Amino acid sequence: MSKRTATELQTATTSIEYEPRKTPRGTGSKQEKMNDEGMGEFEDGWEDEFESDEEVVEGKDGNDEDMEVDEEVLPPIEESDEKPPAPQTFIPGVHQLAEGEVLEADESVYLMRHSMNVNWPSLSFDVLRDNLGDQRQRFPATAYIVSGSQADVAKNNEITVYKMSSLHKTQRSGDDSDSDDEDEDDTLDEDPILEYRSVPHLGGVNRIRAQPLPASHPLPPVSQPYFVASWAETGKVHIWDVRPLIEALDVPGYTPDKSRTHKPAFTINSHGRAEGFAMDWASSGEANPTSLRLLTGDIHSKIFLTTTTPSGFNALSNPFVGHTSSVEDLQWSPSEAMVFASCSADQSIQIWDVRSKARKSVAGIDHAHGSDVNVISWNRSTSYLLLSGGDEGNIKTWDLRNVKKRGTTGPEPTPVAAFNWHRAPITSIEWHPTEDSIFAASGADDQVTLWDLAVEQDDEETGGMDDTPEGGRDVPPQLLFVHQGQKDVKEIHWHPQIPGAVISTALDGFNVFKTISV
């Protein structure tokens, strides 16, 4: 992001205003309405502006003999060879916006950047797998997501499947030199297309998660279910089949069976009336709906497990207990099928084994952040690494091989890496799906940050921050990118089939972007 005075801006830009933040779990006000018939609205960052033709003024009689001419000869206007000053990079916590200044995105550091306004804000969403292939690099891109709304009243909420297509490459200036062998279609600058299908959902959606499908596995046929679980503010967890909604977006004229889509396939009532935010699916690694397991955690510190069998879902009645406050996030181990991790507002991270009859945690970190631990992410490639984000804004990386087992003594484990860049609670964190040293995080300070733990400090190239203003701070070398422009960012996800693509949801809608850094 760079700074410009408001009068210098000639294209639509993103305005950032600093105001007291709302609570990370709060709901937002109603957003701009979506267009009818399942078509949403994207913001066009390069919308053409047309100036009206100048009015031609003629003399009354067409005779210019009476025209008064200034006898002074004006000096010729000399063109200066000096280039205008380069835009200043805006670093949160180091620079401050002056009165009349707004943030302008530097399009040269984005490969793709689009914004999406929706009917109601969403606290949570998830990326849906599609049949368009893995490792997609070509533009225009297409992505499918599922989200749950936070409407003004309970009955107005929905579960919505979005199809975002024609996501074109970011427009570059004439000075940019792209490779000669790029297809012309990759550089077109056209409006993206947003389509959606929705089903009603009673109560706001605190969190939503899609059934995991193995990498390189096709989307199941429409005759088979593709499950999505929603944590409702009513205290219930609903499981939905969204496969017909995807079919309706892809096949013209296809009409979903409402008896299949408009009612949950199953509802978990184990939590009573206690709402929650923590939820995670696990599977055996096969696209088999009979091998799924779903964990849900509530604000009363209880964690319940729901499994699937050939006859349907089975909600187990005995909870996992050990936390003393709200369970904020859950993550299944990527390498051990029966192990999961949880974090809580009691400041701890706990490790559990579902085979334990005592339903107690087997290991943990009791004071991981010294504040509420909001989110965790388990590394899929290096399975002993766990990320955590706290209410104080810190991000920490833990080596689970050093975590104490319950009943043993010894010093508390320390993180192998810690970063205090964010200045507000961390709201979401996620490892890159294939690069085991890269992760993304979001905070209530309106930042989405991309990090690479493999980057080390280079003393010969650290002069860039020598002139940091008084009261500023150094930029960690592991911080690759800072994305701004959204209000109250709630959740982020990498797209597993489009390398480097990130999708984020905030109070003012969704962003989908891809940077030159990842």
Side-chain angles (χ1 to χ4, degrees):
M1 292 289 179
S2 59
K3 295 194 296 183
R4 291 283 191 277
T5 62
T7 55
E8 287 179 302
L9 300 182
Q10 297 182 3
T11 57
T13 60
T14 304
S15 177
I16 301 297
E17 297 176 359
Y18 292 95
E19 57 184 13
R21 297 264 61 79
K22 297 180 175 61
T23 57
R25 303 295 188 188
T27 61
S29 59
K30 186 175 180 180
Q31 303 296 305
E32 185 174 335
K33 287 286 186 180
M34 287 188 291
N35 295 334
D36 294 332
E37 300 184 4
M39 296 298 293
E41 181 178 339
F42 271 94
E43 294 179 359
D44 185 358
W46 307 285
E47 183 177 359
D48 295 334
E49 297 181 359
F50 297 94
E51 298 180 358
S52 60
D53 295 336
E54 294 182 1
E55 183 177 355
V56 179
V57 180
E58 298 181 354
K60 295 181 179 179
D61 55 1
N63 190 345
D64 59 358
E65 291 182 359
D66 296 333
M67 182 182 296
E68 295 182 1
V69 179
D70 193 344
E71 295 181 355
E72 291 186 8
V73 178
L74 297 177
I77 299 176
E78 297 181 1
E79 294 184 0
S80 173
D81 294 334
E82 295 183 4
K83 294 183 178 180
Q88 180 184 2
T89 301
F90 181 85
I91 302 175
V94 175
H95 302 115
Q96 297 292 332
L97 288 177
E99 184 177 357
E101 287 185 324
V102 292
L103 289 178
E104 179 184 23
D106 181 359
E107 302 297 348
S108 66
V109 298
Y110 289 93
L111 296 179
M112 173 180 67
R113 186 177 71 90
H114 297 287
S115 299
M116 180 174 77
N117 293 327
V118 292
N119 191 11
W120 298 105
S122 173
L123 285 179
S124 181
F125 75 99
D126 207 358
V127 181
L128 299 173
R129 285 195 64 88
D130 55 51
N131 288 328
L132 302 178
D134 293 342
Q135 301 297 313
R136 305 201 295 265
Q137 301 284 357
R138 291 172 60 88
F139 292 96
T142 298
Y144 297 77
I145 65 172
V146 60
S147 76
S149 66
Q150 288 282 316
D152 55 347
V153 293
K155 64 182 180 62
N156 288 340
N157 285 288
E158 295 176 323
I159 298 293
T160 304
V161 174
Y162 293 101
K163 178 181 180 181
M164 298 179 286
S165 57
S166 295
L167 300 173
H168 283 272
K169 193 172 184 178
T170 301
Q171 187 183 52
R172 302 299 182 98
S173 64
D175 296 336
D176 295 330
S177 57
D178 293 325
S179 59
D180 295 335
D181 55 356
E182 280 189 349
D183 291 339
E184 184 179 354
D185 289 344
D186 286 357
T187 59
L188 291 177
D189 176 28
E190 297 180 359
D191 291 342
I193 300 172
L194 176 65
E195 303 167 272
Y196 70 94
R197 295 292 184 272
S198 300
V199 296
H201 184 279
L202 181 62
V205 180
N206 293 342
R207 188 156 292 179
I208 191 165
R209 290 291 182 264
Q211 165 194 344
L213 293 176
S216 303
H217 196 281
L219 190 68
V222 70
S223 59
Q224 296 182 13
Y226 187 7
F227 290 123
V228 164
S230 64
W231 232 130
E233 63 181 0
T234 59
K236 299 182 183 298
V237 178
H238 303 295
I239 298 175
W240 310 82
D241 180 8
V242 299
R243 183 62 185 88
L245 302 181
I246 301 174
E247 192 75 3
L249 291 170
D250 289 339
V251 179
Y254 179 86
T255 302
D257 182 0
K258 289 188 177 182
S259 64
R260 179 179 172 186
T261 60
H262 281 54
K263 293 183 178 180
F266 187 76
T267 295
I268 302 171
N269 296 304
S270 306
H271 298 275
R273 295 186 178 181
E275 66 175 317
F277 299 90
M279 181 163 58
D280 195 37
W281 287 96
S283 73
S284 62
E286 301 176 358
N288 184 357
T290 64
S291 64
L292 294 170
R293 287 164 289 135
L294 178 66
L295 286 168
T296 52
D298 61 37
I299 61 174
H300 291 168
S301 74
K302 291 184 174 61
I303 301 171
F304 286 91
L305 174 64
T306 299
T307 62
T308 53
T309 65
S311 60
F313 289 92
N314 178 30
L316 305 184
S317 58
N318 293 329
F320 296 89
V321 292
H323 285 297
T324 58
S325 188
S326 173
V327 180
E328 297 294 286
D329 203 5
L330 291 161
Q331 285 272 286
W332 284 99
S333 168
S335 59
E336 299 183 61
M338 297 299 169
V339 175
F340 69 90
S342 63
C343 68
S344 169
D346 63 9
Q347 306 183 10
S348 74
I349 298 172
Q350 311 247 18
I351 308 298
W352 311 74
D353 191 325
V354 298
R355 294 166 293 192
S356 172
K357 295 182 179 180
R359 288 291 198 263
K360 300 285 187 179
S361 64
V362 297
I365 308 167
D366 289 334
H367 298 283
H369 282 255
S371 68
D372 297 1
V373 187
N374 297 333
V375 287
I376 53 176
S377 180
W378 210 318
N379 195 304
R380 300 180 188 179
S381 302
T382 309
S383 59
Y384 56 81
L385 291 181
L386 184 80
L387 279 170
S388 65
D391 213 40
E392 85 290 5
N394 286 352
I395 298 170
K396 297 183 178 182
T397 307
W398 304 91
D399 187 335
L400 296 181
R401 297 173 297 183
N402 300 328
V403 173
K404 292 190 307 180
K405 293 185 178 180
R406 293 301 180 198
T408 61
T409 60
E412 285 289 335
T414 57
V416 296
F419 306 100
N420 62 351
W421 176 261
H422 285 271
R423 288 294 183 261
I426 303 300
T427 57
S428 184
I429 200 164
E430 186 172 279
W431 287 104
H432 190 284
T434 56
E435 300 290 338
D436 62 358
S437 66
I438 297 176
F439 67 89
S442 66
D445 56 358
D446 303 335
Q447 294 186 65
V448 175
T449 51
L450 308 184
W451 303 78
D452 188 351
L453 296 181
V455 177
E456 297 181 359
Q457 185 80 34
D458 189 339
D459 294 335
E460 296 181 358
E461 299 181 0
T462 56
M465 291 302 297
D466 290 343
D467 56 350
T468 300
E470 184 178 355
R473 53 187 172 139
D474 290 340
V475 178
Q478 294 83 7
L479 179 57
L480 300 180
F481 198 90
V482 177
H483 173 77
Q484 298 177 89
Q486 290 182 281
K487 289 284 189 180
D488 219 0
V489 186
K490 298 298 185 184
E491 193 168 275
I492 53 169
H493 293 296
W494 299 93
H495 196 295
Q497 296 173 275
I498 307 176
V502 178
I503 306 174
S504 57
T505 183
L507 191 65
D508 49 4
F510 291 90
N511 275 192
V512 52
F513 63 93
K514 183 175 179 179
T515 77
I516 62 174
S517 302
V518 179

